[in-house]
Amino acid sequence: MTSLNTFDLQLTPGELGQKQDLNRVDGRKNLSQAIVNRFYTRRGELTKLGHPSYGSRLYLLMGEPNNIRTRKLAELYIRECLEQESRIAEIKEIRFEPPSRDLDKRNVLLTTIILQPVGESTALNIQLSINL
């Protein structure tokens, strides 16, 4: 059984004029960070490191219009990517915001993903911006 009792590091901003530092991230924050890292890593990018299926195919959506077809492909790629993570018991919902009328944000898919982590009673919400 996979546990949420794993940890990673996260860059945290310092005070104005101070250096940034690394903090330990564990539990739900670690799972959230691991998922976002999977989304933003191109599938196959870590093949030389022995992880050929790690990552997602969301990068294939670059240049595509923000329409129903693209959102369906994004949902497929998100589900495909989340299947790799053994700490997820269930994908409860994947929701996309309607396309923005703002010219600067028209090619961004704003996504809400609701997951049920293994052994947890509370769902995990992840907000993801996918640049097209």
Side-chain angles (χ1 to χ4, degrees), residues 8-14 19-25 33:
D8 204 347
L9 299 175
Q10 179 180 38
L11 185 63
T12 55
K19 294 182 181 179
Q20 295 181 331
D21 202 358
L22 294 175
N23 280 338
R24 180 180 158 145
V25 179
Q33 181 183 32

Side-chain angles (χ1 to χ4, degrees), residues 29-48:
K29 286 185 178 181
N30 172 257
L31 177 58
S32 181
Q33 181 183 32
I35 290 168
V36 170
N37 286 341
R38 279 186 189 274
F39 287 140
Y40 288 134
T41 302
R42 292 178 177 205
R43 177 176 258 172
E45 192 171 349
L46 300 180
T47 298
K48 290 182 181 179

Side-chain angles (χ1 to χ4, degrees), residues 58-67 69-70 107 130-132:
L58 289 171
Y59 71 94
L60 295 174
L61 300 177
M62 292 180 85
E64 295 294 328
N66 190 348
N67 59 24
R69 178 189 170 275
T70 301
N107 292 325
I130 304 167
N131 294 317
L132 300 176

Side-chain angles (χ1 to χ4, degrees), residues 66 95-98 105 108-112 127-130:
N66 190 348
R95 182 176 58 240
F96 299 98
E97 296 296 320
K105 298 177 184 174
V108 176
L109 282 178
L110 298 175
T111 312
T112 301
Q127 304 291 318
L128 182 68
S129 294
I130 304 167

